[in-house]
Amino acid sequence: MSPAASAAVRDRLRIAIQKSGRLSEPARALLSSAGLSWRESRDRLFCYGESLPVDLLLVRDDDIPSLIAEGVCDLGIVGRNVLNEEIDGRSASGQPAAFREWRALGFGGCKLSVAVPEGGDWRGAQQLTGKRIATTYPNQLRTWLRAQQVEADIVVLNGSVEIAPRLGQADAICDLVSSGATLAANQLKAVQDVMLSEAVLAGPVQPFGDVRAELADLLLRRMDGVLRIRDSKLLLFQTARDSLPQVLQLLPDAEPPTMCAVDGADTLALQALCHGAMTWQRLEDLKRAGARGLMVLPVERMLA
Ligand code: PRT
Ligand code: ZN
């Protein structure tokens, strides 16, 4: 798309998400929770927004940063690993920054890590000097090596990075790790984290100059509301006034609770929005501290 087209005034917002893969379902679920709904198109690459003028483009995750840079899409949901790879690549070739991370979204978590064969010892990044490191993330690896003041050879591979040491193509790898099972299956161990990744909302560096600015603000406010209460629960209980300090000590993650007196003034009824996990263990601790009639309720929506 030409720069003229990308600069054109638009009255709908277009968000790129992964068509299929690890991030596609959670990205859709997040946008749906923010109140968006779409009419599916036959080719299933473009979904027309029905509840708001916000359309979806379903693409490969690697294409999302360039689609934003070219103005084909306004926003995108993509792994930080993919976004930062493009940012580092553009910065290395002197191109101006065109997109940036707007929000971390709390799913798709993984690490970009350096891994070496299991048998070897590890004494730090200096050990990589003069070694060959296989990766699909050469730009971030280069940035990291430079920060460590280590000179190594980067072997760029498009896939199956983890078998490179066994094939004699590399001495170490730099790849995404989540459970660690793939590394273990290939007799490798992670020794150094290069970056922590998760899905992020990416958007342009420059603000929108038309109605898309309001749409993006609205979407961000709603997404923040969804993200803020993702693990939150509403806790209802009663307690004797004397036990209140001990009970509140066990709720460090709660918003200031709403309280009212029942049974005269000695018993209090409380409701508290808690942001941490409300496990059985925690409820039992609260009961021991003097809370009773404990009830944990899901929170569907919140508008601060
Ligand atoms: O087709 P398209 O190009 O859109 O998809 P893709 O195949 O490139 O991406 P996909 O769906 O595999 O991953 C999308 C995003 O999910 C990534 O860019 C990351 O941000 C995030 N993510 C989270 C991961 C992982 N966890 C992950 N474990 N992406 C890849 N992996 C791979 C990793 O490369 C390694 O091969 O899983 C293997 C390791 O997993 P463990 O659990 O064995 O450690
Ligand atoms: Zn991809």
Side-chain angles (χ1 to χ4, degrees), residues 83-237:
L83 191 72
N84 285 4
E85 186 62 16
E86 286 288 326
I87 290 175
D88 284 8
R90 280 168 186 256
S91 139
S93 61
Q95 286 176 271
F99 39 77
R100 64 176 175 85
E101 181 174 323
W102 279 25
R103 284 290 186 284
L105 301 178
F107 59 87
C110 56
K111 294 174 181 178
L112 182 62
S113 304
V114 172
V116 298
E118 247 163 19
D121 58 344
W122 177 252
R123 295 175 309 279
Q126 293 303 322
Q127 196 178 320
L128 296 168
T129 302
K131 300 281 195 251
R132 295 161 307 158
I133 312 171
T135 190
T136 33
Y137 296 93
N139 297 322
Q140 284 167 99
L141 177 57
R142 195 171 296 115
T143 306
W144 180 78
L145 286 169
R146 198 168 296 141
Q148 307 299 312
Q149 299 180 319
V150 169
E151 286 204 19
D153 288 339
I154 298 177
V155 180
V156 183
L157 298 179
N158 286 326
S160 306
V161 169
E162 59 280 349
I163 58 168
R166 262 194 295 157
L167 297 180
Q169 287 174 298
D171 306 295
I173 68 165
C174 175
D175 198 10
L176 295 182
V177 182
S178 48
S179 69
T182 306
L183 290 185
N186 288 282
Q187 293 96 49
L188 296 169
K189 60 177 178 186
V191 287
Q192 185 84 50
D193 294 337
V194 171
M195 62 98 64
L196 300 183
S197 186
E198 64 186 283
V200 301
L201 180 71
V205 170
Q206 298 297 336
F208 300 115
D210 50 34
V211 74
R212 288 175 296 169
E214 286 154 45
L215 285 171
D217 271 359
L218 176 79
L219 186 67
L220 275 182
R221 271 201 307 277
R222 288 192 183 182
M223 281 172 115
D224 285 346
V226 173
L227 295 173
R228 190 159 354 112
I229 59 162
R230 182 164 269 179
D231 298 317
S232 304
K233 296 278 184 280
L234 187 65
L235 184 67
L236 306 182
F237 62 94

Side-chain angles (χ1 to χ4, degrees), residues 48-84:
Y48 185 83
E50 288 192 317
S51 53
L52 280 176
V54 179
D55 306 320
L56 282 191
L57 200 64
L58 308 182
V59 296
R60 287 201 56 193
D61 64 347
D62 319 72
D63 296 334
I64 293 177
S66 324
L67 289 170
I68 298 172
E70 289 162 14
V72 177
C73 283
D74 304 308
L75 302 173
I77 293 182
V78 65
R80 183 181 291 135
N81 49 303
V82 172
L83 191 72
N84 285 4

